[in-house]
């Protein structure tokens, strides 16, 4: 890429980061003017790079997804059950803490945009796959029907809204919420083979 294209990509990234930072600060979806000001650019710069605010939201979802994929899920695979549980819970909770406001915006736009629905589906599919990978030992220790039911329960237990309820409704700290997940997952999962 030439220098101008690199600068344009960097501007795009800064606009996305400004959008995410503003979402994190307030439950209200930020305006283009607020995003531009935070990023240090003009409103025109925002709309030169994104057709509309929905396109910016989709780009932010792609940015968040790439960050989530960059988190290594394989490093704990050979670890003890407790370390695997703790590893998944820590990574999952970090991502949810960071991207819960964006998730809520995506949820609010899913009826109007196939692109948004596709991003939501991709996140869910990836989490499903990661759950199967992390807990493959325990899931393989029960019949297939039971394994699928367990995986569904794991998915529900560790989703965005589960985390949000613990943090917002019940006022748990990050560590307290992680401990609740740890307790629930440990009790839910079969012990697996010795």
């Amino acid at each position: 890429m030439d220098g101008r294209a690199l600068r344009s990509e960097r501007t795009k990234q800064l606009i996305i980061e400004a959008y995410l930072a503003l979402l994190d600060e307030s439950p209200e979806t930020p305006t283009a003017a607020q995003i531009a000001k935070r990023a240090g650019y003009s409103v025109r710069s925002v709309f030169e790079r994104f057709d509309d605010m929905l396109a910016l939201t989709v780009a932010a979802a792609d940015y968040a997804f790439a960050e989530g994929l960059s988190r290594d899920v394989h490093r704990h695979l050979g670890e003890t059950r407790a370390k695997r549980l703790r590893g998944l819970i820590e990574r999952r909770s970090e991502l949810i803490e960071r991207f819960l406001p964006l998730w809520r915006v995506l949820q609010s736009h899913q009826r109007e945009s196939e692109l948004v629905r596709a991003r939501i589906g991709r996140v869910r599919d990836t989490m499903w796959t990661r759950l199967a990978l992390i807990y493959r030992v325990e899931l393989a220790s029960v019949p297939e029907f039971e394994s699928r039911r367990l995986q569904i329960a794991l998915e529900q237990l560790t989703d965005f809204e589960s985390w949000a309820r613990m943090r917002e409704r019940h006022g748990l700290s990050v560590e307290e919420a992680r401990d609740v997940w740890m307790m629930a997952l440990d009790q839910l999962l079969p012990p697996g083979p010795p």
Side-chain angles (χ1 to χ4, degrees):
M1 295 179 91
D2 65 19
R4 197 161 81 179
L6 284 172
R7 282 191 303 278
S8 181
E9 282 303 307
R10 178 69 180 141
T11 300
K12 254 177 115 165
Q13 181 178 343
L14 290 172
I15 290 168
I16 290 169
E17 289 172 0
Y19 174 62
L20 291 171
L22 288 165
L23 274 178
D24 194 43
E25 293 169 12
S26 169
E28 301 298 318
T29 304
T31 65
Q34 291 169 320
I35 295 164
K37 182 178 179 183
R38 174 63 68 93
Y41 295 102
S42 67
V43 172
R44 180 178 172 207
S45 291
V46 172
F47 290 115
E48 283 175 347
R49 283 151 187 90
F50 304 99
D51 292 338
D52 53 29
M53 293 301 289
L54 189 58
L56 174 55
T57 299
V58 169
D62 291 342
Y63 177 91
F65 187 76
E67 183 174 320
L69 283 182
S70 72
R71 307 278 175 113
D72 183 20
V73 296
H74 296 89
R75 72 175 168 198
H76 295 296
L77 290 182
E79 300 284 353
T80 64
R81 174 190 171 107
K83 285 186 180 180
R84 281 185 292 120
L85 282 172
R86 180 59 66 181
L88 177 73
I89 288 167
E90 286 175 358
R91 282 190 308 280
R92 182 79 173 141
S93 63
E94 286 168 3
L95 287 171
I96 291 176
E97 278 289 310
R98 177 148 161 69
F99 296 118
L100 180 60
L102 175 62
W103 182 256
R104 288 182 168 153
V105 171
L106 291 169
Q107 292 285 308
S108 72
H109 290 292
Q110 67 180 326
R111 290 182 186 210
E112 66 194 72
S113 170
E114 177 56 39
L115 291 174
V116 170
R117 284 191 300 277
R119 285 357 183 244
I120 290 170
R122 183 170 58 175
V123 168
R124 289 181 173 149
D125 290 346
T126 300
M127 187 56 192
W128 179 264
T129 302
R130 286 186 169 192
L131 286 170
L133 177 65
I134 295 282
Y135 303 117
R136 71 188 185 287
V137 171
E138 290 82 4
L139 294 171
S141 72
V142 295
E144 187 176 329
F145 173 75
E146 183 64 22
S147 175
R148 185 171 190 283
R149 289 177 56 199
L150 275 170
Q151 196 169 343
I152 291 168
L154 290 168
E155 179 186 42
Q156 294 303 308
L157 182 62
T158 59
D159 73 358
F160 281 85
E161 288 309 315
S162 167
W163 184 260
R165 280 190 305 278
M166 289 191 296
R167 297 278 287 131
E168 296 165 1
R169 179 176 166 79
H170 300 292
L172 299 183
S173 69
V174 168
E175 274 310 311
E176 289 169 332
R178 285 175 177 170
D179 288 344
V180 169
W181 267 2
M182 184 79 174
M183 176 193 66
L185 290 174
D186 194 42
Q187 290 181 12
L188 179 66
L189 286 165

